[in-house]
Amino acid sequence: MSSRPTSRAEQRRNTESRILAAAQRLFAEVGYDRATVRAIATAAETDPGLVMRYFGSKDELFARAVGFEADELVTGTPEQAAEQLLTALEHKLAATPIDALAALRSMFGHPDAAADVRSAMVARQQQAAQHLATDDADLRAGLIGALTIGAVIGRYLLRLDGLADAEPERISALLRTAFHEIAHGTPAAES
């Protein structure tokens, strides 16, 4: 087993990764207020001063930990957008979305965290709305977002029967018609 010395840059990246992972876990487990910089540093096996040096503030660390910027942008036609949004939901349901849970748990107890989460979600909603049917596009994007959030909360926080153990593909299959009807609508039946 060889141990090669690591550069300062590698050490910094490793420490930053440990801090971010610890922050995500703690924000998801206990929320924004109870996840202190000291607790995050302890969980990351580092010094609280390094947390502040690498992330600037607890708010900036929270913004990185919830990771909304990591989501893929919605593109294409309303039909393609619906499928992209279903795929994103499947990914969130396939493995515990620590970043989303950190955001959700924290926003209920801390006004600044709630504002950060709302701001990020509104930006995502506005971006997705550009690729949905133009009539009520913001409402359409908001409804799909609400279905997604509801599915994540139901599966991971409430552990609802059926939803908690269902295969992600089964959930998206059941939601496919709803996502498509919301994203691009169905022609009105002639009377």
Side-chain angles (χ1 to χ4, degrees), residues 36-96:
T36 65
V37 170
R38 185 172 302 285
I40 292 166
T42 299
E45 299 177 347
T46 194
D47 182 79
L50 286 178
V51 174
M52 300 308 283
R53 183 199 284 156
Y54 292 161
F55 294 94
S57 69
K58 182 177 172 183
D59 286 340
E60 289 178 37
L61 176 57
F62 176 74
R64 286 273 308 278
V66 297
F68 283 111
E69 69 280 351
D71 287 342
E72 293 285 327
L73 295 178
V74 175
T75 61
T77 66
E79 292 83 0
Q80 292 166 327
E83 286 301 317
Q84 292 167 22
L85 292 164
L86 279 164
T87 298
L89 173 60
E90 265 187 44
H91 290 306
K92 286 177 176 59
L93 298 176
T96 305

Side-chain angles (χ1 to χ4, degrees), residues 21 27 48 67 80 106-107 112 122 128-129 132 143 148 151 154 156 160 171 189:
F27 286 135
Q80 292 166 327
S106 295
M107 67 185 254
D112 290 339
V122 165
L132 304 179
L143 287 169
T148 299
Y156 292 108
L160 295 176
I171 296 168

